[in-house]
Amino acid sequence: MLGFKAQAQYYTDGSTQADGTPLVATKSLTVDTQGPNGASPDGTAGSWYRWNPNAGTTTTATFTAGNDPDGSGLNDSNQATITWNAVWPTAPSGVPTPAEIAALIKDYKITAEEFNSCQPSISTEDSKTDINVKLVKPDVLFIDADSDDVCSTAKANITLYGTPGAIVNFEVTNGNVTVTSVVTNTSATLDSDGKIDIEITPNGTVDVVFVINNVTYTATQPAPLSTKVTFTNSTITNAAGKTVTIKLSAGPVISPIEF
């Protein structure tokens, strides 16, 4: 029996999947196709199969499969079409909850079990295989500025909330970004909680403008692919907050006392 034991596959919510095929709402999976026992697309002669697209995860998926003549049930062939049923969070009115942030990464574990006349109902480690699938949406749900204005001698702080591990690419006008290990002049990496602080110092007498260009997410596929795949998303959920303007307030300047 051929399977994908304990592997993870990453798929981004965009035009291309991690395996290079177009991303659609469904994905076809097949097990038990190699000889001498397996024969594509029929599986092993005398065997039937049971699929579970929600094994040990909180996400939901549905599936359809052919009916194997050797089995007594339905949807028990060695080929199944999985429908992801992913629903992405909408832009919140304030700081997103941990659950809303976590919902940007959907974690599926799909199992397939094989049965035959020698083992008609109970699977063993050798007759069971699984695959972990992560659907990821690179996104920013909310931008939180400490204040709507800042003094010319002070620093403005902007906090981004979005996909954990994603990189947010941005532009800053009339200000200088404080560079750290995870923040550059043009990008910032969201931490494992989906959060990052960006500190900006005004460099003149004009309002500071912060604009998000896109959000990218990179995942490395396990063997046999073993390749890095990056998806870039410029359609931010929080479209209204994609641009933030912080007004610059100058210090007081008093005129001379006149007689």
Side-chain angles (χ1 to χ4, degrees), residues 105-238:
I105 300 178
K106 307 290 188 180
D107 189 13
Y108 299 89
K109 183 178 180 181
I110 302 165
T111 66
E113 299 169 273
E114 180 184 1
F115 304 94
N116 59 25
S117 58
C118 295
Q119 187 179 299
S121 61
I122 300 175
S123 63
T124 64
E125 184 64 25
D126 289 337
S127 64
K128 184 176 181 179
T129 187
D130 58 57
I131 184 172
N132 293 321
V133 177
K134 293 182 183 293
L135 268 63
V136 181
K137 184 180 183 184
D139 203 355
V140 171
L141 295 178
F142 189 71
I143 304 176
D144 188 19
D146 280 356
S147 62
D148 295 331
D149 57 72
V150 64
C151 296
S152 57
T153 56
K155 295 180 179 181
N157 188 76
I158 292 177
T159 304
L160 307 181
Y161 297 87
T163 308
I167 296 176
V168 181
N169 297 294
F170 57 80
E171 294 180 15
V172 173
T173 305
N174 307 319
N176 297 317
V177 177
T178 300
V179 176
T180 69
S181 60
V182 291
V183 178
T184 73
N185 291 317
T186 58
S187 68
T189 303
L190 294 164
D191 64 17
S192 58
D193 294 323
K195 177 183 176 182
I196 189 66
D197 291 313
I198 301 173
E199 192 177 68
I200 303 172
T201 303
N203 61 10
T205 58
V206 186
D207 296 345
V208 175
V209 181
F210 175 89
V211 181
I212 293 179
N213 291 327
N214 54 57
V215 184
T216 64
Y217 186 91
T218 300
T220 301
Q221 297 292 3
L225 294 177
S226 300
T227 57
K228 285 188 176 181
V229 179
T230 300
F231 174 66
T232 302
N233 181 14
S234 57
T235 307
I236 310 304
T237 293
N238 188 19

Side-chain angles (χ1 to χ4, degrees), residues 6-160:
Q7 286 192 2
Q9 301 291 323
Y10 287 81
Y11 299 95
T12 50
D13 182 38
S15 59
T16 305
Q17 295 190 129
D19 59 3
T21 60
L23 177 64
V24 292
T26 61
K27 181 71 175 178
S28 295
L29 302 177
T30 306
V31 294
D32 218 7
T33 59
Q34 288 188 347
N37 295 322
S40 179
D42 300 321
T44 301
S47 290
W48 59 93
Y49 304 83
R50 180 168 66 201
W51 294 86
N52 182 358
N54 308 297
T57 64
T58 57
T59 51
T60 59
T62 55
F63 81 99
T64 56
N67 298 324
D68 196 306
D70 297 313
S72 58
L74 302 177
N75 294 318
D76 57 356
S77 73
N78 70 322
Q79 294 183 313
T81 299
I82 309 296
T83 301
W84 302 122
N85 297 345
V87 178
W88 304 113
T90 58
S93 58
V95 174
T97 65
E100 288 174 318
I101 291 174
L104 291 168
I105 300 178
K106 307 290 188 180
D107 189 13
Y108 299 89
K109 183 178 180 181
I110 302 165
T111 66
E113 299 169 273
E114 180 184 1
F115 304 94
N116 59 25
S117 58
C118 295
Q119 187 179 299
S121 61
I122 300 175
S123 63
T124 64
E125 184 64 25
D126 289 337
S127 64
K128 184 176 181 179
T129 187
D130 58 57
I131 184 172
N132 293 321
V133 177
K134 293 182 183 293
L135 268 63
V136 181
K137 184 180 183 184
D139 203 355
V140 171
L141 295 178
F142 189 71
I143 304 176
D144 188 19
D146 280 356
S147 62
D148 295 331
D149 57 72
V150 64
C151 296
S152 57
T153 56
K155 295 180 179 181
N157 188 76
I158 292 177
T159 304
L160 307 181

